[in-house]
Structures are given as structure tokens and as C-alpha cells.
Amino acid sequence: VQKEITIDETALPTATKEYLGKNFPGKKISESVKIVKADGKIFYEAEGEKSEMTFDADGKYLSTKKE
């Protein structure tokens, strides 16, 4: 079972914040989530207006899902 924990945008890894600032300047993040998978792996999600981006534990961009 995975756990999803809503976190403040400031708690995202530095690399994630840098990616978002560079690629989406001035855009608001509506929700930031820390995901802990059953095997202990950690991922982060940042939700924007029409998409949800996934990052690894180090903050490296992995994928975008359009909503």
C-alpha cells in the first residue's frame, strides 16, 4: 500500500522546484504530494492547472500526466 502525503510546495526537493521554476515560470502549483510506495521508494507529484508531474526522490523529472 502506498501513502500519499500532501506537503507544502516549499518541501519539494530543490531539483523539483528548479525544474518547475525554469519550465513553468509564474505558474501556480495547486497541490504538492509526497508518495511513499509499499517498497519504500519515494516520489513527488506537483499538480498544476491541467497536468500532474511526477519526480523521483532526488527531484528529477519523470513524467507528466494531462488531466
Side-chain angles (χ1 to χ4, degrees):
V1 177
Q2 74 178 27
K3 282 193 222 177
E4 293 191 14
I5 305 155
T6 300
I7 60 172
D8 190 81
E9 185 178 342
T10 60
L12 289 169
T14 300
T16 299
K17 292 184 281 192
E18 289 173 353
Y19 177 89
L20 294 171
K22 180 179 177 183
N23 293 283
F24 304 96
K27 297 287 184 184
K28 285 278 189 187
I29 299 299
S30 59
E31 184 177 22
S32 302
V33 178
K34 179 179 181 179
I35 299 167
V36 182
K37 299 281 189 175
D39 62 4
K41 289 184 180 174
I42 295 172
F43 296 90
Y44 293 91
E45 287 181 354
E47 294 183 23
E49 288 180 22
K50 297 181 181 176
S51 63
E52 179 179 281
M53 291 156 278
T54 304
F55 300 85
D56 69 11
D58 296 323
K60 181 181 170 195
Y61 171 79
L62 297 175
S63 65
T64 298
K65 181 170 69 173
K66 301 285 184 189
E67 294 183 344

